[in-house]
């Protein structure tokens, strides 16, 4: 049993990770600024696990808030750092706020971890660091390419900041590079809560199917893929959450082979946009209203993971399928619409 700080722990991946940490018997302390989620998620998590946990609403881009977090936390064994802004398009319009929030909070967090002699960190990174990889599937050795957005750059620079911090102090860090986390908890008590118009494919599909959106726009069908639409590696959010528990337990057990390890978190399977739509129609029994429109700036043609390293080194493998993910996302969408 360990005590883990989860920053951004009321967010999409964070909340699912809190559930899995509690299921594994760990104590959790969540900090979240509620800028991209709601306090209801706190009760929803507890309704799944029937376990309480500490929660503090703090803004980690304020140094004093980070200091007060550690003053309140007491003895802690590790940190899982999700807290960040993550909308690619928004980051293009507001780069300075993205650098201030995503990198400022990381620096303050690392300073407080250093000063409190806490060295176990799991960092939430992203496959966007690979850009359009030359070779597919993408391994952890695929070259990091210049970011296609300020958001993607905050993940790249975040990893570099951590590497420099490790060189000077004795942090032990695992960076998890997510491909496309989708779906929701099978209980339909937590899931993705996009505030405003969803930017990502799966929440846009479910909001269209439930009648909240008129029609899904498919951004281009002239890509060099078997059906002309982009390929991505959609991985169930519960599988992503379970990987975080395995990763933090690896550090707690001092089983890491290096003080900086990187793992791709994907299903290892690429699916096109049309395949996701058809999977949704199959599991929901709904005909989705969509149309093909022009391409979206910055989209890569294809990205999916080689998951060998996570499979062999972490002993982790995605267990849920794309059908499971879109079915759970649909159940969640219908549940929250009932509650509105
Ligand atoms: C997937 C595919 C779109 C919406 C982003 C971030 C990445 C990660 C996951 C945080 C693409 C197409 C989408 C729509 C569409 N987030 N699409 N119509 O861009 O692969 O990754 O989210 O880490 O960092 O970059 O995900 O869901 O936006 O798009 O046709 O309304 O669906 O063109 O091919 P993406 P996405």
């Amino acid at each position: 049993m360990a005590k883990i700080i989860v920053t951004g722990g009321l967010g999409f991946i964070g909340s699912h990770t809190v559930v899995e940490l509690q299921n594994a018997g760990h104590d959790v302390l969540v900090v979240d600024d509620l800028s991209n989620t709601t306090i209801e998620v706190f009760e929803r998590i507890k309704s799944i696990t029937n376990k309480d946990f500490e929660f503090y609403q703090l803004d980690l881009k304020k140094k004093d808030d980070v200091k007060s977090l550690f003053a309140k936390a007491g003895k802690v064994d590790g940190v899982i750092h999700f807290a960040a802004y993550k909308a690619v398009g928004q980051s293009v319009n507001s780069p300075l706020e993205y650098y201030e929030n995503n990198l400022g909070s990381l620096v303050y967090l690392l300073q407080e971890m250093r000063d409190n002699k806490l060295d176990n960190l799991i960092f939430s990174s992203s496959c966007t660091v690979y850009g359009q990889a030359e070779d597919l599937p993408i391994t952890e050795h695929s070259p990091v390419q210049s970011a296609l957005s300020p958001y993607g750059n905050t993940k790249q620079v975040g990893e570099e900041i951590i590497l420099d911090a490790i060189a000077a102090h004795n942090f032990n860090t695992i960076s998890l590079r997510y491909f496309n986390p989708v779906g929701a908890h099978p209980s339909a008590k937590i899931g993705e809560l996009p505030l405003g118009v969803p930017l990502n494919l799966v929440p846009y599909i479910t909001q269209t199917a439930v009648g909240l959106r008129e029609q899904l726009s498919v951004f281009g069908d002239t890509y060099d893929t078997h059906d002309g639409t982009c390929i991505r590696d959609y991985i169930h959010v519960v599988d992503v959450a379970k990987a975080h528990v395995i990763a933090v337990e690896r550090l707690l057990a001092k089983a890491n082979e290096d003080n900086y390890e990187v793992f791709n978190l994907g299903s290892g399977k690429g699916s096109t946009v049309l395949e996701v739509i058809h999977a949704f129609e199959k599991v929901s029994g709904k005909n989705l209203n969509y149309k093909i429109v022009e391409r979206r700036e910055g989209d890569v043609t294809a990205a999916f993971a080689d998951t060998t390293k996570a499979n062999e080194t972490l002993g982790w493998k995605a267990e849920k399928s794309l059908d499971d993910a879109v079915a759970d996302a649909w159940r969640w969408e219908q549940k929250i619409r009932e509650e509105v």
Side-chain angles (χ1 to χ4, degrees), residues 86 88 125-128 151 155 178-181 198-202 204 216-220 223 230-232 234 273 296 299-300:
K86 62 163 191 172
V88 172
S125 190
S126 169
C127 64
T128 39
Y151 161 75
K155 292 302 179 182
Y178 314 148
F179 279 69
N180 288 57
L199 300 170
N200 296 130
L201 177 64
V202 171
Y204 208 108
L216 168 75
S217 296
V218 173
F219 298 138
Y223 286 93
C230 295
I231 292 172
R232 294 291 184 276
Y234 298 94
V273 175
R296 178 174 71 176
D299 272 333
V300 297

Side-chain angles (χ1 to χ4, degrees), residues 266-330:
S267 68
K269 181 178 179 302
S271 301
T272 67
V273 175
L274 289 176
E275 285 169 336
V276 177
I277 291 170
H278 297 148
F280 176 79
E281 291 181 322
K282 181 179 68 177
V283 302
S284 67
K286 308 268 292 182
N287 274 326
L288 194 76
N289 181 11
Y290 67 90
K291 68 175 181 223
I292 309 290
V293 300
E294 64 286 347
R295 293 182 174 192
R296 178 174 71 176
E297 190 67 30
D299 272 333
V300 297
T301 300
F304 57 96
D306 177 322
T307 59
T308 307
K309 188 179 174 192
N311 301 157
E312 292 179 357
T313 306
L314 290 183
W316 168 89
K317 187 171 175 55
E319 295 161 357
K320 292 174 179 285
S321 66
L322 175 64
D323 285 4
D324 296 328
V326 291
D328 289 337
W330 178 229

Side-chain angles (χ1 to χ4, degrees), residues 10-27:
L10 296 191
F12 177 38
I13 304 172
S15 56
H16 288 81
T17 301
V18 171
V19 166
E20 299 307 327
L21 282 168
Q22 290 193 313
N23 288 345
H26 297 297
D27 264 349

Side-chain angles (χ1 to χ4, degrees), residues 5 24 72 103-104 130 136 148 158 161 170 179 224 232 251 325 331:
I5 289 177
K72 296 170 195 279
L103 298 181
Y130 299 114
L136 294 171
L148 297 171
I161 288 171
N170 64 343
F179 279 69
D224 182 16
R232 294 291 184 276
L251 295 183
R331 196 177 307 115

Side-chain angles (χ1 to χ4, degrees), residues 7-304:
T7 75
L10 296 191
F12 177 38
I13 304 172
S15 56
H16 288 81
T17 301
V18 171
V19 166
E20 299 307 327
L21 282 168
Q22 290 193 313
N23 288 345
H26 297 297
D27 264 349
V28 177
L29 181 156
V30 169
V31 56
D32 203 301
D33 67 358
L34 301 182
S35 65
N36 195 26
T37 184
T38 62
I39 190 62
E40 283 73 42
V41 177
F42 177 73
E43 291 305 329
R44 288 173 178 276
I45 291 170
K46 290 200 291 186
S47 74
I48 295 171
T49 61
N50 297 316
K51 291 179 184 171
D52 204 350
F53 58 93
E54 291 174 79
F55 169 69
Y56 299 104
Q57 182 178 352
L58 294 166
D59 182 349
L60 299 183
K61 64 178 180 295
K62 292 179 182 163
K63 191 177 178 73
D64 288 349
D65 276 26
V66 185
K67 278 189 174 306
S68 79
L69 165 64
F70 279 81
K72 296 170 195 279
K75 185 182 174 319
V76 170
D77 302 292
V79 177
I80 302 179
H81 182 44
F82 291 106
Y85 298 155
K86 62 163 191 172
V88 172
Q90 186 185 52
S91 76
V92 174
N93 301 324
S94 313
L96 299 180
E97 285 65 35
Y98 267 66
Y99 289 120
E100 178 192 36
N101 185 65
N102 292 7
L103 298 181
S105 61
L106 176 63
V107 168
Y108 292 150
L109 179 68
L110 289 168
Q111 286 175 327
E112 287 309 311
M113 287 180 68
R114 174 199 61 197
D115 297 349
N116 287 275
K117 300 189 178 14
L118 172 57
D119 57 16
N120 294 324
L121 172 68
I122 305 297
F123 178 63
S124 167
S125 190
S126 169
C127 64
T128 39
V129 303
Y130 299 114
Q132 174 57 71
E134 286 294 308
D135 302 315
L136 294 171
I138 298 171
T139 72
E140 288 81 356
H141 298 294
S142 298
V144 171
Q145 302 194 71
S146 55
L148 297 171
S149 70
Y151 161 75
N153 202 33
T154 67
K155 292 302 179 182
Q156 284 182 13
V157 174
E159 290 195 19
E160 288 164 17
I161 288 171
I162 291 168
L163 275 167
D164 287 344
I166 286 170
H169 313 292
N170 64 343
F171 289 113
N172 288 299
T173 300
I174 293 176
S175 280
L176 298 175
R177 292 175 178 167
Y178 314 148
F179 279 69
N180 288 57
V182 290
H185 194 268
S187 66
K189 290 180 176 175
I190 53 174
E192 201 161 1
L193 264 177
L195 304 182
V197 179
L199 300 170
N200 296 130
L201 177 64
V202 171
Y204 208 108
I205 287 175
T206 58
Q207 288 194 10
T208 302
V210 85
L212 210 57
R213 306 289 159 202
E214 185 57 38
Q215 184 179 56
L216 168 75
S217 296
V218 173
F219 298 138
D221 68 347
T222 59
Y223 286 93
D224 182 16
T225 65
H226 55 271
D227 65 18
T229 61
C230 295
I231 292 172
R232 294 291 184 276
D233 183 333
Y234 298 94
I235 174 153
H236 198 294
V237 63
V238 170
D239 281 325
V240 174
K242 288 180 175 175
H244 285 73
V245 179
I246 292 169
V248 77
E249 288 177 346
R250 179 178 173 83
L251 295 183
L252 296 173
K254 303 194 185 318
N256 49 311
E257 291 149 13
D258 194 345
N259 51 17
Y260 186 67
E261 295 181 316
V262 177
F263 296 95
N264 286 344
L265 291 191
S267 68
K269 181 178 179 302
S271 301
T272 67
V273 175
L274 289 176
E275 285 169 336
V276 177
I277 291 170
H278 297 148
F280 176 79
E281 291 181 322
K282 181 179 68 177
V283 302
S284 67
K286 308 268 292 182
N287 274 326
L288 194 76
N289 181 11
Y290 67 90
K291 68 175 181 223
I292 309 290
V293 300
E294 64 286 347
R295 293 182 174 192
R296 178 174 71 176
E297 190 67 30
D299 272 333
V300 297
T301 300
F304 57 96

